[in-house]
Amino acid sequence: MARVLSLFRLQPFLALVGRRKVGLCKMSMDSRARQVFASALEAVQPDTVVHRSIERHKDDVLIDGHKYTLKHNLHLVGFGKAVLGMAAEVERIMGDHLVRGVISVPRGIQETLQQHGKDHLLLNKNSCIKVMEGAKNNLPDADAMKAAQEIQQLASELTEKDLLLVLISGGGSALLPAPIPPITLEEKADVTRRLAAAGATIQELNTVRRALSSLKGGGLVRHAQPAQVVALILSDVIGDPLDLIASGPTVYSEVRFKETLCILERYNFLNSLPDSVKDVFAIPDHHWKKNKGPSRSSENIVNVVIGSNSLALKCASRRARELGFRPVVLSPGVCGNVKDVARLYGLIAHFASFQDEAPPEISAELLKLGPLVGVESWDLHRTMQVLDEARAEGWGATCLLAGGEPTVELTGKGRGGRNQELAMRVAVELKTQKLPPRGPVFLSGGTDGQDGPTEAAGAVTDGGLWNEAQAQGLDINKFLENNDSHTFFSQLSDGKHLLVPGQTCTNVMDVHLLLIPTVPITVKAAQLES
């Protein structure tokens, strides 16, 4: 009787799995991966995140639980790749109280948005917000510095009756270059460039940048005193640390000049510093004495992260579920060398492919790789447990999601980016796996729509890529050695594997997704007889 009841319970479940599988076959694994990625992008569109973060009732607005009364006292500044669209939505919500604004955005973005029919991300023709373009190729330049000076001037003229809304997104640091006078932009860039070449850590570089900057490290809010300041932030940094996003212009950070001098001395730079830098270090607080004082009060400052990689992954998970997958978020903080990251995803795919329990050596290697790629051990344990349960209980297909920003070790002079190279390397890891829909599919894409100096955001690959490339006379290893991933994908099958979403108007790092098909259910006799 127990055996009969067990079969009775299993059959409807197997039938349900079968029906779902037939429905999903109408759409390829490649198409579903692209749809999940598109949902991640949609979730962090600049106008969407701003609209979600501001609640207006007549002349009052509620932002992150804080209530502000508008009395034609609203001023706006912004800097970053997504700021134009953010400003357009602010204008729609609160434009009747907006006095003036200045935003610093990438060169050519207005023309690009017009060409792509994204007029909803553009300001009104009669807008009181001044748009200034600069930082070509994401590098600080004279145009970006001029915009920073105008932003600084606007902030410096505010009073206690004013509300300053600051819009920040990825790329904001390059679009807000304002070295402390008399330091020039070239001198500041040269000091940080030489430090980087000498092997300085990112923490050391940020310490020096803040010491030489007028607006970073809380400089902007110092200029804006005593006005109220609210910053809406679209994060492009792992973990969303407020002091690192665009170098923290709205986050008070004590400038430790002694620490900065120790860093410069450590790399033997003290004697070769420009005279302007020496002058600033000689009188550490002279810059703030000329302005409104070095107050560190944060009572009038509110920083709100309104969009991030975690939000993108959350909405991607929802879409994955709609497409019939069980979503599992591994981590929004994947980093490290793409070689290690590719190995991690390859091991996860192998771990999930076994009908019975995966060999312990796979689990051991995964846990060893975790610290190298920014994935916590408990996240890996949780992910493996979910995959084990899926195998044991006969769940359907799984969509593993992650985000972050891995790095590429440059050994060649090819054309590509970290997402396309990661996709290639994962494909190599998957070459012993079955082909879709019975085998896994991997996608890696930059949410800003541009992977390195290419028009692609990334690529979609699977275990058949190796043989596909060989059949067309393309040597994957040679392309990888030359960091030439974009050329490879462009030549392979007329570029069908490339991920080209066009102008995305946002930036919350990268999205990775691994679609793992259903593992065939093995019903053991012992289970049936229990």
Side-chain angles (χ1 to χ4, degrees):
M1 182 60 132
R3 178 177 178 180
V4 172
L5 289 174
S6 179
L7 284 170
F8 182 77
R9 288 193 297 268
L10 270 172
Q11 285 174 346
F13 176 77
L14 293 174
L16 177 61
V17 172
R19 285 199 300 273
R20 173 178 285 187
K21 188 173 180 181
V22 170
L24 290 178
C25 286
K26 295 178 180 178
M27 186 186 299
S28 70
M29 294 274 278
D30 179 288
S31 296
R32 281 177 273 165
R34 293 173 188 270
Q35 284 207 15
V36 173
F37 179 71
S39 294
L41 295 182
E42 186 178 350
V44 289
Q45 285 298 293
D47 55 334
T48 301
V49 293
V50 167
H51 185 82
R52 211 163 34 216
S53 64
I54 301 176
E55 184 179 342
R56 179 171 177 179
H57 301 283
K58 295 183 179 180
D59 290 339
D60 292 329
V61 292
L62 195 65
I63 302 175
D64 194 41
H66 299 268
K67 184 180 179 181
Y68 303 93
T69 299
L70 302 176
K71 297 180 179 179
H72 304 286
N73 59 341
L74 179 64
H75 303 259
L76 182 146
V77 298
F79 28 91
K81 295 179 181 179
V83 156
L84 185 57
M86 295 170 75
E89 187 62 23
V90 169
E91 189 173 56
R92 281 188 283 271
I93 298 172
M94 301 185 289
D96 53 325
H97 284 280
L98 188 60
V99 179
R100 57 176 174 163
V102 179
I103 58 175
S104 179
V105 298
R107 177 163 303 284
I109 190 170
Q110 294 178 95
E111 182 181 352
T112 301
L113 290 176
Q114 288 173 344
Q115 291 174 348
H116 286 78
K118 298 194 175 184
D119 293 343
H120 64 290
L121 298 178
L122 295 169
L123 296 170
N124 295 327
K125 291 182 179 179
N126 59 347
S127 175
C128 64
I129 300 173
K130 184 176 181 179
V131 181
M132 303 183 71
E133 297 186 356
K136 186 177 180 181
N137 298 323
N138 202 33
L139 296 173
D141 58 19
D143 290 329
M145 184 167 174
K146 184 177 179 181
Q149 290 170 341
E150 293 209 20
I151 288 172
Q152 178 176 311
Q153 183 64 32
L154 185 154
S156 299
E157 295 173 358
L158 299 179
T159 71
E160 68 277 0
K161 296 179 180 180
D162 294 313
L163 172 62
L164 178 64
L165 189 62
V166 184
L167 307 178
I168 304 174
S169 76
S173 185
L175 286 159
L176 196 72
I180 297 175
I183 302 172
T184 67
L185 183 61
E186 292 75 16
E187 288 171 336
K188 179 185 173 187
D190 182 62
V191 170
T192 53
R193 190 184 305 115
R194 287 165 55 204
L195 274 174
T201 66
I202 186 63
Q203 291 81 8
E204 290 172 332
L205 288 172
N206 284 332
T207 298
V208 174
R209 282 195 191 102
R210 281 194 293 266
L212 304 182
S213 295
S214 176
L215 296 177
K216 293 167 183 175
L220 178 60
V221 289
R222 288 186 177 95
H223 282 286
Q225 292 177 44
Q228 290 184 310
V229 178
V230 178
L232 303 182
I233 303 167
L234 192 60
S235 172
D236 69 331
V237 181
I238 289 175
D240 308 328
L242 297 176
D243 61 327
L244 294 186
I245 302 169
S247 299
T250 56
V251 181
Y252 278 123
S253 176
E254 184 179 354
V255 179
R256 299 181 177 89
F257 283 94
K258 289 184 179 179
E259 182 180 344
T260 304
L261 288 171
C262 287
I263 293 171
L264 295 169
E265 185 177 16
R266 188 176 305 140
Y267 294 97
N268 298 316
F269 280 7
L270 281 180
N271 294 330
S272 60
L273 289 175
D275 291 338
S276 58
V277 176
K278 293 178 181 177
D279 289 344
V280 169
F281 285 162
I283 315 176
D285 290 331
H286 83 289
H287 178 62
W288 299 119
K289 289 176 182 177
K290 290 181 181 178
N291 293 290
K292 301 182 180 181
S295 170
R296 302 189 188 97
S297 172
S298 57
E299 294 178 1
N300 290 341
I301 305 166
V302 173
N303 287 288
V304 188
V305 175
I306 60 174
S308 64
N309 192 270
S310 293
L311 176 62
L313 296 182
K314 179 180 178 180
C315 294
S317 296
R318 188 179 303 127
R319 182 58 179 148
R321 191 177 295 278
E322 291 171 354
L323 291 171
F325 294 97
R326 181 181 180 88
V328 179
V329 176
L330 174 65
S331 170
V334 175
C335 57
N337 193 299
V338 291
K339 294 179 182 178
D340 295 325
V341 176
R343 181 61 180 160
L344 180 90
Y345 289 133
L347 285 170
I348 291 174
H350 284 291
F351 180 93
S353 67
F354 288 89
Q355 282 186 258
D356 297 315
E357 187 175 342
E361 55 266 26
I362 294 182
S363 303
E365 189 175 351
L366 275 170
L367 293 172
K368 185 178 180 180
L369 271 176
L372 300 178
V373 297
V375 180
E376 299 289 345
S377 294
W378 74 271
D379 279 324
L380 285 169
H381 276 296
R382 172 180 53 82
T383 300
M384 287 188 285
Q385 181 180 352
V386 169
L387 293 174
D388 273 333
E389 291 172 354
R391 180 189 300 113
E393 300 178 17
W395 294 346
T398 300
C399 177
L400 183 81
L401 289 154
E405 205 165 80
T407 56
V408 173
E409 181 182 352
L410 295 178
T411 56
K413 298 180 179 180
R415 190 162 175 258
R418 60 179 178 267
N419 287 286
Q420 293 166 86
E421 179 156 331
L422 177 59
M424 284 181 71
R425 292 189 180 279
V426 172
V428 174
E429 295 287 338
L430 299 179
K431 68 180 181 179
T432 59
Q433 294 281 309
K434 295 178 180 178
L435 299 181
R438 295 179 179 176
V441 166
F442 178 78
L443 178 150
S444 182
T447 55
D448 62 355
Q450 186 176 6
D451 187 36
T454 77
E455 66 275 13
V460 186
T461 61
D462 56 57
L465 194 80
W466 180 273
N467 289 334
E468 185 181 344
Q470 283 193 323
Q472 296 176 38
L474 301 174
D475 188 329
I476 288 182
N477 288 328
K478 286 186 178 180
F479 281 99
L480 286 173
E481 288 172 6
N482 196 34
N483 300 117
D484 205 11
S485 55
H486 185 68
T487 302
F488 170 81
F489 280 117
S490 298
Q491 293 180 5
L492 181 69
S493 302
D494 296 322
K496 75 172 186 178
H497 293 278
L498 284 171
L499 182 65
V500 189
Q503 178 62 249
T504 67
C505 313
T506 190
N507 182 18
V508 293
M509 300 184 291
D510 305 333
V511 169
H512 308 152
L513 62 97
L514 180 66
L515 302 185
I516 302 171
T518 305
V519 176
I521 302 172
T522 302
V523 181
K524 298 180 180 179
Q527 291 176 319
L528 295 177
E529 293 172 359
S530 63

